[in-house]
Amino acid sequence: MEDLTITQFGAPDAPYCQQETAKVTIIPAPLEYSVCYMKGTEHGPQAILNASSQMELYDEELDCCPIEIGVYTCPVLDYNGMDHAAALKATGDTVREVLKRGQVPLILGGEHSLSAPVIAAVHEQYPDLTVVHIDAHGDLRDEFEGTPLSHASIERRVVDMGIPLLEIGIRSFSPEEAAFMKTQPNVAIVWAYKMAKGLATIPWERLGKHTYVTIDLDAFDPGEMPAVGTPEPGGLSWYQVLDLFREICHRTMIVGMDVVELCPMPGQERADFLAAKLVYKMIGYRWCDR
Ligand SMILES: [Mn+2]
């Protein structure tokens, strides 16, 4: 198990993992610079790839094999010798190459700060972009622990870019974020406690034609997803997140996405498997849901 190094998501046979014919390019991004509590998210992308090799490739809900749309996985990004800013820039540049090929980027994290340069690159191509952020945390601080590049500031950078933002599953929010949010008509928040009580209305009308979806795995309840750096009680369930993602697919065109903050832990391999299967369900809903 420990020596396993899967390089193609789902470990499919050719031709389903070829770069030229793929519809989606998976970018494994082992970024870890500003993690504040539990370290290890740099091992997240490889753990997802490894777990993906154990998945069944048939989707019983969609009655097809989503891998057949063409899912290319590029080599794991190498941040050796780079500082945080350089690593973020390299991540954004990789996304630009993927977009140039007409493919949708799907990034495996790695810490959440990677979403900012990725979203910036997608936004260059789709100026009408909306971001949907599924997370326990608001991530709206102007800076955190002295850096505006922090994982805890990623959505503030999105707001800075002038991109409308819809946050779902939130249950950890600072006073600064609460005050900021109330001044931002372009930011909508769906609180986890309201979802748990069946009282949440999701303002889907805020989505435009093109959408970027970022999923921080700590959005899930820690009972289902224990392997994250900053767990929060009262999270979303597996089927809740799948339903949210499917609804987004029905309402808009997803042109970029990421799954971030997996922090693999010995004895909690179920978390790696959840992340891998989530990525596969996202691909299925995005391309195969007719
Ligand atoms: Mn989070």
Side-chain angles (χ1 to χ4, degrees), residues 135 137 216 218:
D135 198 325
H137 308 91
D216 183 329
D218 65 31

Side-chain angles (χ1 to χ4, degrees), residues 24-260:
V24 55
T25 290
I26 292 187
I27 304 172
L31 190 96
E32 179 160 10
Y33 288 90
S34 69
V35 168
C36 55
Y37 189 66
M38 205 100 76
K39 297 207 189 303
T41 192
E42 65 180 310
H43 303 298
Q46 190 61 58
I48 295 173
L49 293 179
N50 288 354
S52 77
S53 70
Q54 305 300 308
M55 288 182 324
E56 295 291 0
L57 296 176
Y58 171 75
D59 186 309
E60 69 282 5
E61 188 181 16
L62 301 169
D63 189 23
C64 68
C65 292
I67 201 87
E68 293 177 7
I69 65 150
V71 180
Y72 170 67
T73 308
C74 73
V76 176
L77 298 189
D78 181 1
Y79 297 124
N80 263 325
M82 294 184 192
D83 65 9
H84 194 178
L88 293 178
K89 183 179 179 304
T91 310
D93 289 344
T94 304
V95 168
R96 283 183 190 90
E97 286 165 28
V98 170
L99 291 168
K100 238 182 262 168
R101 290 201 297 268
Q103 297 165 341
V104 173
L106 197 171
I107 298 86
L108 308 180
E111 69 163 76
H112 209 162
S113 63
L114 65 83
S115 301
V118 172
I119 289 168
V122 175
H123 188 223
E124 286 163 17
Q125 183 136 344
Y126 300 98
D128 65 343
L129 194 70
T130 301
V131 168
V132 178
H133 169 85
I134 302 176
D135 198 325
H137 308 91
D139 291 347
L140 284 168
R141 285 178 159 95
D142 193 27
E143 54 171 55
F144 189 62
E145 295 185 335
T147 172
L149 306 178
S150 170
H151 63 98
S153 301
I154 144 74
E155 297 309 338
R156 184 63 170 262
R157 301 291 80 83
V158 169
V159 174
D160 291 346
M161 292 178 224
I163 301 173
L165 174 64
L166 171 57
E167 299 201 326
I168 303 176
I170 309 302
R171 55 198 190 278
S172 177
F173 215 64
S174 68
E176 177 203 335
E177 291 172 285
F180 173 73
M181 179 262 286
K182 288 171 188 160
T183 68
Q184 298 296 316
N186 252 355
V187 178
I189 307 225
V190 181
W191 304 106
Y193 82 90
K194 283 203 175 176
M195 298 174 80
K197 294 171 199 281
L199 298 173
T201 314
I202 297 178
W204 292 122
E205 69 280 2
R206 285 175 174 255
L207 298 187
K209 190 168 171 215
H210 298 112
T211 302
Y212 184 94
V213 181
T214 174
I215 301 184
D216 183 329
L217 290 164
D218 65 31
F220 286 92
D221 191 79
E224 285 189 70
M225 173 39 80
V228 292
T230 43
E232 282 287 334
L236 309 183
S237 72
W238 170 249
Y239 285 111
Q240 233 175 339
V241 174
L242 293 192
D243 287 351
L244 283 170
F245 191 86
R246 195 175 194 182
E247 185 75 32
I248 298 166
C249 290
H250 287 167
R251 290 176 177 271
T252 175
M253 184 180 285
I254 295 175
V255 290
M257 46 194 153
D258 65 57
V259 173
V260 296

